[in-house]
Amino acid sequence: MAVDLLLGLQWGDEGKGKIVDVLTKNYDIIARFQGGPNAGHTLEFDGIKHVLHTIPSGIFHKNAINIVGNGVVIDPVIFKKELEALEQFKIDIKSKLLISRKAHLILPTHRLLDAASETSKGKAKIGSTLKGIGPTYMDKTGRNGMRIGDLEMSDWKEKYRALADKHEAMIDYYNVDIEYDLAELENEFFKSVEALKKLTFIDSEEYLFQAQRSGKKILAEGAQGSLLDIDFGTYPFVTSSNTTAAGACTGLGVAPNQIGEVKGIFKAYTTRVGSGPFPTELFDEDGETMGRVGNEFGATTGRPRRCGWLDIVALKYAVQVNGVTELMMMKADVLSGFETIKICTAYNYKGEKITHLPYNIEAENVTPIYSEMKGWKEDLTKMSKADELPKELAAYIEFLEKELEVPIKIVSVGPDRTQTILR
Ligand code: GDP
Ligand code: IMO
Ligand code: MG
């Protein structure tokens, strides 16, 4: 059975958590393939709102197995907190949540290094979530990292010490003013590791191979978005993993020829949190309205998200890089009430009109060129069928499908599981 992918096509926070939760009933296994606690995936159902960071978004479904893949980086401290928040739901964590032995560990000193690096950059900072993501992936590719499987070895604490000592020297090198009490951080870390060690560790690539063989349906859940991809995003203002489709192959050990549908998810407008270029960003009342109505605050850091119109140039690029086969459009309800909807269909790039994403998309090189469509006034949040949608929204959807050459299969009209329209 092929493995389907679900990934964000913008700068993250498209609504992946909600849609994975909606789709889980069709799958046996949900597997996260990259990122770590920089992610914040929100699910709402039965009047409960839940934010997951490392745990896959299928965890609330009784029959689904949830796997944290080898491409993910895990902070035991945050993981333990996530588990505690799930206690009230009486989930059989030991059998429903499986962790790859090859997933890397985020140490307290990785978080400190993240802070030191960001502080040293001053105005040029990435706007990292400060969860230690960059330094942990650096240790992974530098072949210095610690993995979940190391926790099963008797010498893991020595390994830990050597790496943490090295990190302390590196923090000193940055020569910036960050205050910390490592003994306290380590105390919390070691306690959390003990909690983590009670979970089930697996050789996830083998598990997934056998699951595919026996016909199990698998959905790979991405974190962040394509424009934050370490290779294809707006470097250096990106995260440190491959958030695009290829990342699912390396982050789970799934062969490329085993990938089935690639489900690309985007908001009906655009948001970004943290630094970096954003051609369609709005600094006016429209942007303020999107942020307020869309409640655009980071699920992990609480920071306000920057808002702007939909950018088809960037979206097309993401569809292309991922080989998206079906689209899902989120937060259409947030655009209700705008007289006019603007869509960026081309860029003015150094005086020339272009329709592809160039190397530099900073404001000094790129100005968006917009098409305009009539907006709609209706409240969408109670609608449940595609034929109920206002004709202006139907026209917007049709326009996007034509531009992107991929069908939009889901239109989301509110944060709740039930506010989901299938087309
Ligand atoms: P993720 O990181 O891609 O899982 O997305 P986040 O959870 O960070 O951010 C998406 C936010 O939008 C969350 O607060 C969701 O509850 C909310 N949301 C998801 N879909 C919709 C929608 O269709 N309409 C509205 N108004 N909110 C939505
Ligand atoms: P989900 O999965 C939105 C952004 C940060 C920063 C940059 C690098 O919820 O969509 P990092 O902590 O990875 O070093 O930060 O990436 N970022 C996200 N933005 N959604 C996310 O995840 C993000 N994860 C990281 O704001 O600009
Ligand atoms: Mg998020």
Side-chain angles (χ1 to χ4, degrees):
M1 204 81 194
V3 176
D4 293 341
L5 312 185
L6 182 135
L7 18 94
L9 300 180
Q10 295 161 316
W11 279 289
D13 303 330
E14 296 87 354
K16 298 174 291 293
K18 170 184 162 159
I19 293 299
V20 170
D21 173 57
V22 167
L23 297 179
T24 298
K25 61 179 187 307
N26 307 327
Y27 291 93
D28 302 301
I29 299 172
I30 308 296
R32 260 284 294 272
F33 61 86
Q34 45 67 237
N38 49 348
H41 294 180
T42 314
L43 294 75
E44 279 190 50
F45 55 89
D46 301 340
I48 299 169
K49 177 174 163 172
H50 209 96
V51 182
L52 296 165
H53 301 286
T54 326
I55 295 175
S57 303
I59 196 71
F60 294 101
H61 291 255
K62 240 182 145 181
N63 298 322
I65 298 287
N66 287 263
I67 295 179
V68 179
N70 57 279
V72 176
V73 290
I74 298 175
D75 183 334
V77 177
I78 295 175
F79 206 92
K80 179 169 175 274
K81 289 189 182 137
E82 283 193 71
L83 290 173
E84 284 162 1
L86 289 177
E87 268 166 18
Q88 54 171 311
F89 298 96
K90 307 272 176 257
I91 299 161
D92 180 5
I93 293 292
K94 183 89 184 153
S95 68
K96 295 295 169 198
L97 181 62
L98 313 176
I99 303 177
S100 169
R101 289 197 172 87
K102 294 192 175 73
H104 277 246
L105 284 168
I106 302 176
L107 311 189
T109 42
H110 281 130
R111 266 185 276 142
L112 297 172
L113 277 169
D114 210 355
S117 165
E118 283 285 79
T119 308
S120 74
K121 284 191 162 125
K123 276 202 178 125
K125 70 173 184 193
I126 309 293
S128 155
T129 60
L130 302 179
K131 303 293 176 197
I133 304 296
T136 306
Y137 280 115
M138 279 166 70
D139 269 341
K140 175 178 175 173
T141 51
R143 297 159 296 177
N144 299 309
M146 279 191 71
R147 303 190 286 177
I148 287 288
D150 289 331
L151 300 176
E152 295 175 319
M153 312 288 173
S154 57
D155 65 342
W156 78 268
K157 282 201 175 158
E158 284 103 83
K159 258 193 185 160
Y160 168 86
R161 189 74 271 142
L163 190 54
D165 286 350
K166 186 174 145 196
H167 289 160
E168 272 213 284
M170 288 162 75
I171 295 164
D172 286 345
Y173 165 82
Y174 277 109
N175 197 22
V176 289
D177 206 13
I178 54 162
E179 280 184 28
Y180 60 90
D181 179 345
L182 188 57
E184 196 179 307
L185 293 173
E186 287 185 340
N187 188 22
E188 195 186 19
F189 178 77
F190 289 131
K191 267 199 226 153
S192 305
V193 165
E194 289 315 310
L196 197 61
K197 282 170 80 174
K198 296 201 176 92
L199 304 188
T200 308
F201 300 162
I202 58 165
D203 298 327
S204 55
E205 63 280 24
E206 171 66 14
Y207 184 97
L208 286 167
F209 179 75
Q210 296 302 343
Q212 286 170 72
R213 266 198 155 174
S214 61
K216 295 268 191 281
K217 295 187 77 181
I218 303 166
L219 179 67
E221 173 180 2
Q224 289 80 53
S226 302
L227 302 175
L228 289 171
D229 182 280
I230 183 73
D231 284 285
F232 301 107
T234 47
Y235 193 89
F237 302 101
V238 293
T239 191
S240 298
S241 63
N242 282 115
T243 59
T244 44
C249 296
T250 55
L252 293 172
V254 170
N257 61 357
Q258 297 305 310
I259 302 298
E261 299 296 336
V262 181
K263 298 166 190 285
I265 173 163
F266 68 101
K267 279 180 191 166
Y269 48 101
T270 310
T271 64
R272 169 162 211 175
V273 59
S275 326
F278 178 178
T280 62
E281 182 170 11
L282 293 168
F283 301 94
D284 60 4
E285 216 184 299
D286 285 344
E288 192 269 325
T289 304
M290 287 172 192
R292 181 171 34 79
V293 179
N295 193 23
E296 295 295 356
F297 294 93
T300 294
T301 58
R303 292 178 292 177
R305 296 177 183 139
R306 302 152 64 191
C307 297
W309 296 112
L310 192 64
D311 183 342
I312 295 262
V313 179
L315 203 51
K316 253 189 198 162
Y317 174 78
V319 165
Q320 207 172 300
V321 169
N322 290 300
V324 171
T325 60
E326 32 184 82
L327 288 162
M328 331 205 134
M329 184 169 86
M330 311 301 287
K331 297 193 127 175
D333 55 300
V334 176
L335 293 185
S336 290
F338 280 95
E339 271 316 311
T340 305
I341 306 286
K342 290 191 182 179
I343 312 150
C344 169
T345 46
Y347 291 157
N348 184 330
Y349 180 71
K350 300 180 177 174
E352 190 193 338
K353 182 178 170 179
I354 60 165
T355 53
H356 71 274
L357 202 75
Y359 184 73
N360 289 314
I361 61 162
E362 286 75 18
E364 60 264 32
N365 296 307
V366 158
T367 4
I369 300 173
Y370 290 108
S371 293
E372 294 192 357
M373 295 186 81
K374 197 170 176 307
W376 57 92
K377 297 226 159 15
E378 292 84 345
D379 173 11
L380 312 179
T381 58
K382 305 255 164 3
M383 296 183 181
S384 58
K385 293 193 188 71
D387 58 12
E388 287 174 76
L389 296 176
K391 62 176 191 310
E392 295 84 359
L393 172 56
Y396 185 54
I397 293 170
E398 206 176 305
F399 179 84
L400 299 182
E401 285 185 323
K402 212 162 148 204
E403 287 280 324
L404 300 167
E405 299 177 72
V406 182
I408 297 178
K409 294 276 196 173
I410 287 181
V411 179
S412 175
V413 292
D416 193 86
R417 206 186 245 178
T418 57
Q419 292 171 303
T420 309
I421 298 179
L422 306 179
R423 295 176 79 239

